[in-house]
PDB file of all heavy atoms in Angstrom:
ATOM      1  N   ALA G 575     127.243 138.756 118.109  1.00  0.00           N
ATOM      2  CA  ALA G 575     126.459 138.838 116.880  1.00  0.00           C
ATOM      3  C   ALA G 575     126.341 137.458 116.228  1.00  0.00           C
ATOM      4  O   ALA G 575     125.278 137.069 115.739  1.00  0.00           O
ATOM      5  CB  ALA G 575     127.106 139.831 115.900  1.00  0.00           C
ATOM      6  N   LEU G 576     127.440 136.707 116.239  1.00  0.00           N
ATOM      7  CA  LEU G 576     127.410 135.350 115.683  1.00  0.00           C
ATOM      8  C   LEU G 576     126.611 134.415 116.573  1.00  0.00           C
ATOM      9  O   LEU G 576     125.925 133.508 116.091  1.00  0.00           O
ATOM     10  CB  LEU G 576     128.845 134.831 115.526  1.00  0.00           C
ATOM     11  CG  LEU G 576     129.698 135.589 114.495  1.00  0.00           C
ATOM     12  CD1 LEU G 576     131.153 135.178 114.604  1.00  0.00           C
ATOM     13  CD2 LEU G 576     129.171 135.351 113.093  1.00  0.00           C
ATOM     14  N   ARG G 577     126.668 134.656 117.872  1.00  0.00           N
ATOM     15  CA  ARG G 577     125.922 133.805 118.806  1.00  0.00           C
ATOM     16  C   ARG G 577     124.414 134.008 118.657  1.00  0.00           C
ATOM     17  O   ARG G 577     123.659 133.038 118.581  1.00  0.00           O
ATOM     18  CB  ARG G 577     126.355 134.119 120.234  1.00  0.00           C
ATOM     19  CG  ARG G 577     125.524 133.407 121.301  1.00  0.00           C
ATOM     20  CD  ARG G 577     126.054 133.722 122.691  1.00  0.00           C
ATOM     21  NE  ARG G 577     127.351 133.112 122.908  1.00  0.00           N
ATOM     22  CZ  ARG G 577     128.125 133.335 123.963  1.00  0.00           C
ATOM     23  NH1 ARG G 577     127.715 134.186 124.893  1.00  0.00           N
ATOM     24  NH2 ARG G 577     129.274 132.741 124.100  1.00  0.00           N
ATOM     25  N   VAL G 578     123.959 135.241 118.600  1.00  0.00           N
ATOM     26  CA  VAL G 578     122.513 135.493 118.534  1.00  0.00           C
ATOM     27  C   VAL G 578     121.946 135.027 117.208  1.00  0.00           C
ATOM     28  O   VAL G 578     120.743 134.717 117.105  1.00  0.00           O
ATOM     29  CB  VAL G 578     122.207 136.984 118.786  1.00  0.00           C
ATOM     30  CG1 VAL G 578     122.560 137.832 117.582  1.00  0.00           C
ATOM     31  CG2 VAL G 578     120.736 137.178 119.163  1.00  0.00           C
ATOM     32  N   ALA G 579     122.781 134.945 116.176  1.00  0.00           N
ATOM     33  CA  ALA G 579     122.283 134.498 114.869  1.00  0.00           C
ATOM     34  C   ALA G 579     121.684 133.100 114.958  1.00  0.00           C
ATOM     35  O   ALA G 579     120.768 132.759 114.193  1.00  0.00           O
ATOM     36  CB  ALA G 579     123.429 134.540 113.852  1.00  0.00           C
ATOM     37  N   LYS G 580     122.187 132.281 115.873  1.00  0.00           N
ATOM     38  CA  LYS G 580     121.676 130.910 116.003  1.00  0.00           C
ATOM     39  C   LYS G 580     120.246 130.861 116.526  1.00  0.00           C
ATOM     40  O   LYS G 580     119.568 129.835 116.386  1.00  0.00           O
ATOM     41  CB  LYS G 580     122.583 130.107 116.956  1.00  0.00           C
ATOM     42  CG  LYS G 580     123.980 129.873 116.423  1.00  0.00           C
ATOM     43  CD  LYS G 580     124.792 128.961 117.338  1.00  0.00           C
ATOM     44  CE  LYS G 580     125.025 129.562 118.695  1.00  0.00           C
ATOM     45  NZ  LYS G 580     125.901 128.756 119.551  1.00  0.00           N
ATOM     46  N   ALA G 581     119.765 131.948 117.116  1.00  0.00           N
ATOM     47  CA  ALA G 581     118.412 131.934 117.678  1.00  0.00           C
ATOM     48  C   ALA G 581     117.360 131.722 116.600  1.00  0.00           C
ATOM     49  O   ALA G 581     116.367 131.025 116.839  1.00  0.00           O
ATOM     50  CB  ALA G 581     118.149 133.241 118.430  1.00  0.00           C
ATOM     51  N   GLY G 582     117.540 132.298 115.423  1.00  0.00           N
ATOM     52  CA  GLY G 582     116.533 132.172 114.371  1.00  0.00           C
ATOM     53  C   GLY G 582     116.300 130.736 113.941  1.00  0.00           C
ATOM     54  O   GLY G 582     115.169 130.236 114.028  1.00  0.00           O
ATOM     55  N   PRO G 583     117.331 130.028 113.475  1.00  0.00           N
ATOM     56  CA  PRO G 583     117.135 128.619 113.104  1.00  0.00           C
ATOM     57  C   PRO G 583     116.625 127.764 114.274  1.00  0.00           C
ATOM     58  O   PRO G 583     115.837 126.825 114.058  1.00  0.00           O
ATOM     59  CB  PRO G 583     118.536 128.182 112.675  1.00  0.00           C
ATOM     60  CG  PRO G 583     119.228 129.437 112.262  1.00  0.00           C
ATOM     61  CD  PRO G 583     118.696 130.495 113.155  1.00  0.00           C
ATOM     62  N   SER G 584     117.047 128.056 115.492  1.00  0.00           N
ATOM     63  CA  SER G 584     116.612 127.253 116.637  1.00  0.00           C
ATOM     64  C   SER G 584     115.115 127.406 116.893  1.00  0.00           C
ATOM     65  O   SER G 584     114.428 126.439 117.206  1.00  0.00           O
ATOM     66  CB  SER G 584     117.382 127.663 117.884  1.00  0.00           C
ATOM     67  OG  SER G 584     118.762 127.366 117.745  1.00  0.00           O
ATOM     68  N   ILE G 585     114.578 128.639 116.761  1.00  0.00           N
ATOM     69  CA  ILE G 585     113.144 128.871 116.966  1.00  0.00           C
ATOM     70  C   ILE G 585     112.344 128.176 115.895  1.00  0.00           C
ATOM     71  O   ILE G 585     111.305 127.544 116.170  1.00  0.00           O
ATOM     72  CB  ILE G 585     112.859 130.386 116.975  1.00  0.00           C
ATOM     73  CG1 ILE G 585     113.489 131.049 118.205  1.00  0.00           C
ATOM     74  CG2 ILE G 585     111.350 130.640 116.973  1.00  0.00           C
ATOM     75  CD1 ILE G 585     113.520 132.555 118.142  1.00  0.00           C
ATOM     76  N   VAL G 586     112.794 128.237 114.652  1.00  0.00           N
ATOM     77  CA  VAL G 586     112.093 127.562 113.556  1.00  0.00           C
ATOM     78  C   VAL G 586     112.046 126.058 113.807  1.00  0.00           C
ATOM     79  O   VAL G 586     111.009 125.395 113.647  1.00  0.00           O
ATOM     80  CB  VAL G 586     112.785 127.869 112.214  1.00  0.00           C
ATOM     81  CG1 VAL G 586     112.171 127.031 111.090  1.00  0.00           C
ATOM     82  CG2 VAL G 586     112.661 129.347 111.889  1.00  0.00           C
ATOM     83  N   ALA G 587     113.182 125.480 114.204  1.00  0.00           N
ATOM     84  CA  ALA G 587     113.235 124.043 114.457  1.00  0.00           C
ATOM     85  C   ALA G 587     112.350 123.655 115.643  1.00  0.00           C
ATOM     86  O   ALA G 587     111.663 122.621 115.605  1.00  0.00           O
ATOM     87  CB  ALA G 587     114.680 123.624 114.727  1.00  0.00           C
ATOM     88  N   LEU G 588     112.350 124.467 116.706  1.00  0.00           N
ATOM     89  CA  LEU G 588     111.549 124.162 117.882  1.00  0.00           C
ATOM     90  C   LEU G 588     110.055 124.165 117.539  1.00  0.00           C
ATOM     91  O   LEU G 588     109.302 123.313 117.992  1.00  0.00           O
ATOM     92  CB  LEU G 588     111.850 125.173 118.995  1.00  0.00           C
ATOM     93  CG  LEU G 588     111.133 124.971 120.334  1.00  0.00           C
ATOM     94  CD1 LEU G 588     111.488 123.608 120.938  1.00  0.00           C
ATOM     95  CD2 LEU G 588     111.489 126.091 121.310  1.00  0.00           C
ATOM     96  N   ALA G 589     109.635 125.121 116.708  1.00  0.00           N
ATOM     97  CA  ALA G 589     108.235 125.180 116.310  1.00  0.00           C
ATOM     98  C   ALA G 589     107.815 123.937 115.535  1.00  0.00           C
ATOM     99  O   ALA G 589     106.662 123.498 115.603  1.00  0.00           O
ATOM    100  CB  ALA G 589     107.980 126.427 115.469  1.00  0.00           C
ATOM    101  N   ALA G 590     108.750 123.350 114.822  1.00  0.00           N
ATOM    102  CA  ALA G 590     108.454 122.137 114.053  1.00  0.00           C
ATOM    103  C   ALA G 590     108.672 120.867 114.864  1.00  0.00           C
ATOM    104  O   ALA G 590     108.575 119.763 114.321  1.00  0.00           O
ATOM    105  CB  ALA G 590     109.324 122.106 112.798  1.00  0.00           C
ATOM    106  N   GLY G 591     108.976 121.013 116.162  1.00  0.00           N
ATOM    107  CA  GLY G 591     109.132 119.864 117.032  1.00  0.00           C
ATOM    108  C   GLY G 591     110.515 119.270 117.078  1.00  0.00           C
ATOM    109  O   GLY G 591     110.721 118.207 117.673  1.00  0.00           O
ATOM    110  N   HIS G 592     111.500 119.915 116.487  1.00  0.00           N
ATOM    111  CA  HIS G 592     112.883 119.402 116.475  1.00  0.00           C
ATOM    112  C   HIS G 592     113.665 120.105 117.589  1.00  0.00           C
ATOM    113  O   HIS G 592     114.322 121.115 117.360  1.00  0.00           O
ATOM    114  CB  HIS G 592     113.530 119.644 115.111  1.00  0.00           C
ATOM    115  CG  HIS G 592     112.852 118.925 114.004  1.00  0.00           C
ATOM    116  ND1 HIS G 592     112.909 117.562 113.836  1.00  0.00           N
ATOM    117  CD2 HIS G 592     112.080 119.387 112.977  1.00  0.00           C
ATOM    118  CE1 HIS G 592     112.218 117.199 112.770  1.00  0.00           C
ATOM    119  NE2 HIS G 592     111.686 118.298 112.230  1.00  0.00           N
ATOM    120  N   THR G 593     113.599 119.549 118.783  1.00  0.00           N
ATOM    121  CA  THR G 593     114.220 120.199 119.926  1.00  0.00           C
ATOM    122  C   THR G 593     115.720 119.931 120.027  1.00  0.00           C
ATOM    123  O   THR G 593     116.385 120.533 120.873  1.00  0.00           O
ATOM    124  CB  THR G 593     113.536 119.715 121.225  1.00  0.00           C
ATOM    125  OG1 THR G 593     113.622 118.282 121.289  1.00  0.00           O
ATOM    126  CG2 THR G 593     112.093 120.143 121.285  1.00  0.00           C
ATOM    127  N   SER G 594     116.257 119.059 119.202  1.00  0.00           N
ATOM    128  CA  SER G 594     117.682 118.729 119.312  1.00  0.00           C
ATOM    129  C   SER G 594     118.557 119.571 118.406  1.00  0.00           C
ATOM    130  O   SER G 594     119.794 119.480 118.478  1.00  0.00           O
ATOM    131  CB  SER G 594     117.909 117.246 118.983  1.00  0.00           C
ATOM    132  OG  SER G 594     117.548 116.965 117.639  1.00  0.00           O
ATOM    133  N   ASN G 595     117.977 120.421 117.534  1.00  0.00           N
ATOM    134  CA  ASN G 595     118.796 121.196 116.598  1.00  0.00           C
ATOM    135  C   ASN G 595     119.756 122.132 117.309  1.00  0.00           C
ATOM    136  O   ASN G 595     120.950 122.190 116.980  1.00  0.00           O
ATOM    137  CB  ASN G 595     117.894 122.015 115.662  1.00  0.00           C
ATOM    138  CG  ASN G 595     117.292 121.154 114.564  1.00  0.00           C
ATOM    139  OD1 ASN G 595     117.044 119.970 114.764  1.00  0.00           O
ATOM    140  ND2 ASN G 595     117.073 121.750 113.412  1.00  0.00           N
ATOM    141  N   ALA G 596     119.236 122.868 118.307  1.00  0.00           N
ATOM    142  CA  ALA G 596     120.107 123.789 119.038  1.00  0.00           C
ATOM    143  C   ALA G 596     121.193 123.029 119.780  1.00  0.00           C
ATOM    144  O   ALA G 596     122.347 123.486 119.873  1.00  0.00           O
ATOM    145  CB  ALA G 596     119.276 124.604 120.026  1.00  0.00           C
ATOM    146  N   MET G 597     120.858 121.848 120.286  1.00  0.00           N
ATOM    147  CA  MET G 597     121.835 121.031 121.008  1.00  0.00           C
ATOM    148  C   MET G 597     123.001 120.664 120.094  1.00  0.00           C
ATOM    149  O   MET G 597     124.162 120.795 120.454  1.00  0.00           O
ATOM    150  CB  MET G 597     121.162 119.776 121.539  1.00  0.00           C
ATOM    151  CG  MET G 597     122.102 118.766 122.159  1.00  0.00           C
ATOM    152  SD  MET G 597     121.252 117.206 122.574  1.00  0.00           S
ATOM    153  CE  MET G 597     121.012 116.520 120.916  1.00  0.00           C
ATOM    154  N   ILE G 598     122.695 120.210 118.884  1.00  0.00           N
ATOM    155  CA  ILE G 598     123.739 119.789 117.951  1.00  0.00           C
ATOM    156  C   ILE G 598     124.626 120.973 117.562  1.00  0.00           C
ATOM    157  O   ILE G 598     125.856 120.861 117.495  1.00  0.00           O
ATOM    158  CB  ILE G 598     123.107 119.131 116.715  1.00  0.00           C
ATOM    159  CG1 ILE G 598     122.374 117.861 117.133  1.00  0.00           C
ATOM    160  CG2 ILE G 598     124.164 118.805 115.670  1.00  0.00           C
ATOM    161  CD1 ILE G 598     121.502 117.262 116.027  1.00  0.00           C
ATOM    162  N   ALA G 599     124.002 122.116 117.298  1.00  0.00           N
ATOM    163  CA  ALA G 599     124.777 123.305 116.937  1.00  0.00           C
ATOM    164  C   ALA G 599     125.713 123.716 118.064  1.00  0.00           C
ATOM    165  O   ALA G 599     126.858 124.116 117.824  1.00  0.00           O
ATOM    166  CB  ALA G 599     123.828 124.443 116.577  1.00  0.00           C
ATOM    167  N   ASN G 600     125.236 123.614 119.296  1.00  0.00           N
ATOM    168  CA  ASN G 600     126.081 124.026 120.427  1.00  0.00           C
ATOM    169  C   ASN G 600     127.179 123.020 120.726  1.00  0.00           C
ATOM    170  O   ASN G 600     128.220 123.385 121.299  1.00  0.00           O
ATOM    171  CB  ASN G 600     125.222 124.266 121.663  1.00  0.00           C
ATOM    172  CG  ASN G 600     124.469 125.577 121.583  1.00  0.00           C
ATOM    173  OD1 ASN G 600     125.004 126.580 121.124  1.00  0.00           O
ATOM    174  ND2 ASN G 600     123.223 125.580 122.002  1.00  0.00           N
TER     175      ASN G 600
END
Side-chain angles (χ1 to χ4, degrees):
L576 295 170
R577 173 177 291 172
V578 75
K580 294 186 295 185
S584 296
I585 293 167
V586 173
L588 183 60
H592 297 289
T593 56
S594 64
N595 282 32
M597 173 187 72
I598 296 170
N600 284 320

